[in-house]
């Protein structure tokens, strides 16, 4: 195991160095707000009766003066529409739009986002998930970030509403892999964005072709930001987690399902088909399982290199937990996190092979 210990330590420290460097590039949103005119907020909602009330309450409390809030009820079967109607009766800025679901060739969330922008005539569009809750300064700070860096698209993820195993065991490896395959300012490769919250200039949105340009894709974050970048827009992922909370990742099961969907969607951006995606995600899974197991095995056998590899993995996880406002001692579980992420990747590989997604312009049904 000696050579594996050396390799594991080298890779772990190198990946930790990359993660630390990228987090240094992730700028925090300005503390002050700006008013850049009217903003249309679009919230896609399918069976969100447990979260939509908090989401709309947070949006209605925004400091930003001119806000239009459009909720797209995407064929919900619960009380989502009823709750939205109550908010609309209390606040004329809130409007409910009903959708019977996506037509053939469209992904569900992407279609709901498209429907929500149909009548938007404001200079800025803000897309937020129904399971988020915004602090009163979120919109103003996003606009300030866009003005500061002359951006056409600004995106941030939310912090967890409460600590959970998903944030400790799944999100750190996902975060690290995202940093290795995207760039926070879109300079190369794919442009990083997170679907929790995306603010985009309407002119850039229209120039990119809007959501219709990626109708069948489930990559409504990285795919959309990359499209905006490729059509001349300036994009940036920022740290605005102190103004946005997400409850969609509060449980381990919820985090697992969300990350699996994102992995399949992200792989569909470059894979040539289900078999290609299966091999890509499967190899990623096996590699991460080995990556997590080797440091523990070698460390337990008394290897200093194994301990060094464990330290490198924990260092990368520690900086993520610190920036995402999660308990930092959980970083010691880093090897377990990589093994867990490896199993998730294998699950995603199986879903990519048997599920429904879009491969190079055509729907594939497993």
């Amino acid at each position: 195991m000696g050579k594996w210990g050396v390799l594991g330590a080298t890779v772990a420290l190198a990946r930790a160095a990359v993660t630390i460097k990228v987090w240094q590039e992730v700028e925090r949103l300005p503390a002050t707000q700006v008013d850049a005119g009217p903003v249309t907020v679009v919230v896609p909602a399918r069976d969100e009766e447990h979260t939509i009330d908090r989401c709309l309450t947070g949006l209605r409390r925004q400091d930003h003066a001119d806000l239009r809030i459009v909720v797209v009820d995407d064929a919900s079967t619960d009380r989502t529409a009823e709750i939205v109607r109550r908010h609309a009766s209390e606040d004329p800025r809130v409007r409910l739009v009903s959708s019977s679901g996506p037509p053939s060739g469209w992904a569900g969330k992407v279609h709901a986002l498209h429907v929500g922008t149909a009548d938007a005539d404001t200079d800025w569009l803000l897309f937020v998930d129904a399971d988020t809750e915004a602090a009163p300064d979120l919109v103003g700070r996003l606009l300030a970030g866009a003005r500061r860096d002359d951006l056409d698209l600004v995106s941030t993820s939310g912090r967890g509403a409460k600590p959970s195993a998903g944030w400790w065991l799944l999100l750190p490896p996902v975060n690290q892999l995202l940093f290795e395959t995207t760039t926070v300012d879109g300079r190369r490769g794919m442009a990083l964005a997170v679907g929790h919250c995306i603010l985009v200039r309407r002119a850039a949105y229209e120039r990119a072709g809007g959501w219709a340009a990626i109708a069948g894709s489930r990559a409504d974050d990285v795919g959309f930001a990359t499209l905006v970048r490729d059509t001349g827009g300036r994009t940036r992922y920022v740290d605005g987690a102190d103004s946005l909370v997400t409850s969609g990742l509060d449980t381990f099961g919820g985090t697992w399902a969300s990350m699996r969907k994102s992995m399949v969607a992200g792989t569909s951006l470059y894979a040539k088909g289900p078999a290609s995606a299966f091999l890509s995600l499967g190899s990623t899974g096996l590699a991460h399982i080995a990556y997590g197991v080797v440091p523990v095995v070698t460390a337990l056998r008394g290897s200093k290199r194994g301990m060094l590899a464990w330290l490198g993995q924990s260092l990368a996880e520690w900086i993520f937990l610190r920036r995402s406002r999660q308990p930092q001692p959980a970083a010691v579980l880093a090897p377990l996190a990589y093994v867990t992420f490896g199993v998730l990747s294998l699950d995603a590989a199986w879903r990519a092979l048997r599920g429904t997604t879009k491969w190079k312009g055509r729907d594939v049904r497993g």
Side-chain angles (χ1 to χ4, degrees):
M1 294 291 287
K3 63 180 181 180
W4 293 110
V6 173
L7 179 61
T10 302
V11 173
L13 291 173
R15 296 189 75 189
V18 170
T19 299
I20 292 170
K21 179 179 181 297
V22 176
W23 269 117
Q24 290 175 337
E25 297 173 357
V26 177
E27 299 178 352
R28 295 186 187 275
L29 280 178
T32 57
Q33 306 178 54
V34 300
D35 187 340
V39 176
T40 298
V41 186
V42 178
V43 185
R46 173 178 289 181
D47 295 335
E48 297 285 359
E49 65 177 0
H50 299 298
T51 62
I52 193 64
D53 182 63
R54 291 193 301 274
C55 178
L56 291 178
T57 299
L59 292 173
R60 290 174 58 189
R61 290 175 178 171
Q62 289 299 298
D63 297 332
H64 189 73
D66 198 341
L67 213 62
R68 297 95 187 266
I69 304 168
V70 180
V71 182
V72 181
D73 175 31
D74 189 23
S76 295
T77 58
D78 61 4
R79 296 176 52 251
T80 296
E82 175 188 337
I83 296 169
V84 177
R85 289 192 191 96
R86 174 174 59 79
H87 280 272
S89 68
E90 298 170 351
D91 190 332
R93 298 175 302 170
V94 179
R95 182 163 65 95
L96 173 66
V97 176
S98 297
S99 170
S100 58
S104 177
W106 282 81
K109 182 181 177 182
V110 170
H111 180 255
L113 293 168
H114 169 73
V115 169
T117 61
D119 299 321
D121 58 358
T122 55
D123 289 342
W124 290 96
L125 305 171
L126 175 60
F127 303 101
V128 297
D129 283 350
D131 57 13
T132 61
E133 184 176 357
D137 61 358
L138 176 67
V139 173
R141 292 183 67 198
L142 288 169
L143 291 169
R147 176 177 292 182
R148 177 188 64 192
D149 298 323
D150 190 24
L151 300 173
D152 296 292
L153 181 148
V154 185
S155 176
T156 184
S157 53
R159 70 184 186 278
K162 58 183 180 182
S164 75
W167 283 86
W168 309 333
L169 298 180
L170 289 175
L171 289 178
V174 169
N175 163 77
Q176 191 170 33
L177 199 59
L178 268 177
F179 279 176
E180 292 168 353
T181 56
T182 64
T183 48
V184 297
D185 58 2
R187 288 176 298 176
R188 61 187 182 279
M190 294 182 290
L192 178 58
V194 174
H196 292 169
C197 177
I198 299 176
L199 175 74
V200 62
R201 199 184 301 269
R202 188 163 65 96
Y205 172 83
E206 293 176 349
R207 186 170 62 242
W211 293 110
I214 55 170
S217 173
R218 287 170 172 78
D220 56 275
D221 40 29
V222 170
F224 180 63
T226 302
L227 175 68
V228 170
R229 187 276 313 277
D230 288 347
T231 51
R234 290 170 54 87
T235 72
R236 178 173 282 277
Y237 170 79
V238 297
D239 181 3
D242 50 349
S243 290
L244 187 69
V245 172
T246 177
S247 58
L249 305 177
D250 279 354
T251 66
F252 182 81
T255 307
W256 184 284
S258 177
M259 294 300 101
R260 181 178 59 199
K261 181 180 72 173
S262 296
M263 291 178 69
V264 175
T267 305
S268 72
L269 292 174
Y270 61 83
K272 296 180 180 179
S276 172
F278 175 79
L279 291 174
S280 176
L281 289 167
S283 59
T284 296
L286 294 175
H288 277 83
I289 290 172
Y291 184 64
V293 167
V294 168
V296 176
V297 172
T298 54
L300 291 177
R301 295 179 62 179
S303 169
K304 293 181 179 179
R305 296 186 181 93
M307 290 299 299
L308 193 60
W310 193 331
L311 176 63
Q313 293 179 3
S314 295
L315 184 61
E317 182 155 339
W318 173 80
I319 191 171
F320 168 78
L321 294 172
R322 181 170 63 88
R323 291 295 291 266
S324 59
R325 287 73 167 173
Q326 292 291 307
Q328 297 166 37
V332 73
L333 300 174
L336 177 59
Y338 288 107
V339 172
T340 306
F341 175 71
V343 177
L344 170 65
S345 300
L346 295 179
D347 186 15
W350 181 246
R351 294 297 178 112
L353 186 64
R354 293 184 58 86
T356 300
T357 189
K358 183 159 182 162
W359 307 101
K360 302 299 180 185
R362 63 190 182 91
D363 285 331
V364 176
R365 302 178 187 277

